[in-house]
Amino acid sequence: MTEKPPLNFWFEFASTYSYPAAMRIAPLAKSRGVAVRWRPFLLGPIFKAQGWDNSPFNLYPAKGRYMWRDLERICASLDLPFVQPAQFPQNTLLAARVAIAALSEDWGEDFCRALYRAEFGEGRDLAEPQTIAAVLTSLGRDAGAMMEQARDDAVKGALRAQTEEAQRIGIFGAPAFVAADGELFWGNDRLEAALDWTLR
Amino acid sequence: MTEKPPLNFWFEFASTYSYPAAMRIAPLAKSRGVAVRWRPFLLGPIFKAQGWDNSPFNLYPAKGRYMWRDLERICASLDLPFVQPAQFPQNTLLAARVAIAALSEDWGEDFCRALYRAEFGEGRDLAEPQTIAAVLTSLGRDAGAMMEQARDDAVKGALRAQTEEAQRIGIFGAPAFVAADGELFWGNDRLEAALDWTLR
């Protein structure tokens, strides 16, 4: 264990660039001796406060076309599977709630990575409860029990609180990395800088 | 001289992240044997077509606060001077026209770098003709003659054509790097990937 306070990794399952970040963060953090706290949240309320009722990648088509191509290049360079999902953005409320519950156990990070792989590596739709159930089953978990747990008021409240915290500390997109001193980094391409910041 | 077709470096003097890109591109390209073609353009018409009448960094304050802090960190890491200009974004029409004229001569890239340094390294306003004249004079150029040349219809038309070309090839922000095969990279943090692409 490191003695440093952990780096907060804020992610949203609908966020495309959170996919490579989620796949990269654990080994990079481990090699630097940095602990990471995984913080799922919802971008929807934050985008809404900025006046957007959709992903900016859909609202601004030139930017969206670029993002998909850029993501494809990034995945190729990392040897990550990539399939552009037919549905974008996806409704990730259930996914985020199950993740909140799963992250209280030691397989939570594996579950988050498996969800991202299903969505952007295989093009599956996380809005479908059966997608999430299948991922749980593939990890040897009791899908029914976890889906039930995700309906707990405590889990719903924890996700709401986390989303409000994200907005309060200045997060406007995902992925975001926030150090213990509040220093904010935005985007998969700032992951290394965020890890280095925690070691200053 | 390299035998490869050059990488196109599309930049706008009002663009904050174009500052570190302009300062980095020449040595990085040289070390890889890649030629670079400097292409100033105007983001205003492109933003307008996306429904923005201002910089997205002003329209979305959380993103703007983050960008200034991020730029400050980047400049510190590169040992580049940084002063946040009082005026943002700046009217860069005259700057871009003089740059078009200057880039037909061998000191054009030095001039572009000096303008960025004045704006984001010293906080000066490029909308003021005397700022541009002072930069020209500091480079040993005849400021009056260059300002006169910038009023030529040929120069005005070249900037207009360049801005239209940027929009046509899918550029939606700056800096952007476009390879001879049309592959587009956006942002200072994609400079290395763009240079590597031209060497494939």
Side-chain angles (χ1 to χ4, degrees):
Chain A
M1 286 293 288
T2 173
E3 310 234 336
K4 295 267 186 186
L7 180 68
N8 289 280
F9 170 38
W10 292 88
F11 59 97
E12 145 74 91
F13 288 107
S15 151
T16 51
Y17 287 109
S18 294
Y19 168 43
M23 297 309 193
R24 297 197 309 128
I25 195 167
L28 288 177
K30 195 176 174 190
S31 72
R32 287 167 171 82
V34 175
V36 175
R37 189 171 164 211
W38 288 55
R39 315 284 304 267
F41 73 110
L42 298 178
L43 268 178
I46 291 174
F47 280 177
K48 207 164 185 181
Q50 293 179 0
W52 298 334
D53 60 357
N54 196 338
S55 163
F57 296 126
N58 289 344
L59 294 173
Y60 307 110
K63 199 166 183 168
R65 276 190 297 275
Y66 171 78
M67 179 276 292
W68 288 114
R69 174 65 182 139
D70 189 47
L71 185 64
E72 184 179 31
R73 285 191 307 235
I74 290 169
C75 289
S77 76
L78 297 170
D79 264 326
L80 286 176
F82 171 72
V83 173
Q84 183 175 338
Q87 176 63 29
F88 178 82
Q90 300 186 355
N91 182 332
T92 53
L93 178 62
L94 179 62
R97 285 177 177 166
V98 180
I100 290 274
L103 285 164
S104 68
E105 304 185 24
D106 66 0
W107 53 277
E109 298 178 17
D110 285 338
F111 173 68
C112 293
R113 281 184 287 262
L115 281 186
Y116 275 118
R117 187 176 292 264
E119 184 181 15
F120 296 114
E122 299 165 18
R124 286 152 73 193
D125 189 354
L126 301 190
E128 302 288 343
Q130 56 266 41
T131 306
I132 296 172
V135 168
L136 286 165
T137 304
S138 76
L139 294 172
R141 299 292 145 186
D142 182 336
M146 284 308 296
M147 305 289 262
E148 182 66 32
Q149 203 181 317
R151 278 192 287 270
D152 278 1
D153 281 346
V155 167
K156 292 179 180 176
L159 178 60
R160 207 161 33 234
Q162 198 134 281
T163 297
E164 285 164 4
E165 181 182 344
Q167 191 161 15
R168 198 173 55 243
I169 63 177
I171 289 176
F172 53 89
F177 312 99
V178 183
D181 62 0
E183 192 75 14
L184 168 67
F185 296 83
W186 173 53
N188 171 58
D189 39 37
R190 293 295 187 280
L191 171 53
E192 285 83 351
L195 289 166
D196 291 344
W197 184 270
T198 67
L199 296 175
R200 279 155 52 106
Chain B
M1 286 296 286
T2 173
E3 310 236 336
K4 295 266 185 186
L7 180 67
N8 289 280
F9 169 37
W10 292 87
F11 59 98
E12 143 72 270
F13 287 107
S15 152
T16 52
Y17 287 109
S18 294
Y19 168 44
M23 296 310 191
R24 296 197 311 127
I25 195 167
L28 288 177
K30 195 177 175 188
S31 71
R32 286 166 171 81
V34 175
V36 174
R37 187 170 166 211
W38 289 55
R39 315 282 303 265
F41 73 110
L42 297 178
L43 268 177
I46 291 175
F47 280 177
K48 208 165 186 179
Q50 293 180 1
W52 297 335
D53 60 357
N54 196 338
S55 165
F57 296 126
N58 289 344
L59 295 172
Y60 307 111
K63 200 166 184 170
R65 276 189 299 275
Y66 171 77
M67 177 278 290
W68 288 114
R69 174 64 181 139
D70 189 46
L71 185 64
E72 184 179 31
R73 285 190 308 236
I74 291 169
C75 289
S77 78
L78 297 170
D79 265 327
L80 286 177
F82 171 70
V83 172
Q84 182 176 338
Q87 175 65 29
F88 178 81
Q90 300 186 356
N91 182 330
T92 53
L93 178 62
L94 178 62
R97 285 177 177 166
V98 180
I100 291 273
L103 284 163
S104 69
E105 304 185 24
D106 65 1
W107 53 278
E109 297 178 18
D110 285 336
F111 173 68
C112 294
R113 281 185 287 261
L115 281 185
Y116 275 118
R117 185 176 292 261
E119 184 181 14
F120 295 114
E122 300 166 19
R124 285 150 74 192
D125 189 355
L126 301 191
E128 302 288 342
Q130 57 264 42
T131 307
I132 297 173
V135 167
L136 286 164
T137 304
S138 75
L139 294 172
R141 299 291 145 186
D142 181 337
M146 285 307 298
M147 305 290 262
E148 181 65 34
Q149 203 181 319
R151 277 192 288 270
D152 277 1
D153 279 346
V155 167
K156 292 179 182 177
L159 177 60
R160 206 161 34 234
Q162 197 134 281
T163 297
E164 285 164 5
E165 182 181 344
Q167 190 161 17
R168 196 172 58 244
I169 63 177
I171 289 176
F172 53 88
F177 312 99
V178 183
D181 63 1
E183 193 75 15
L184 168 67
F185 296 82
W186 172 53
N188 172 57
D189 39 37
R190 293 296 186 279
L191 172 53
E192 285 83 352
L195 289 166
D196 291 345
W197 183 271
T198 66
L199 296 175
R200 280 156 52 109

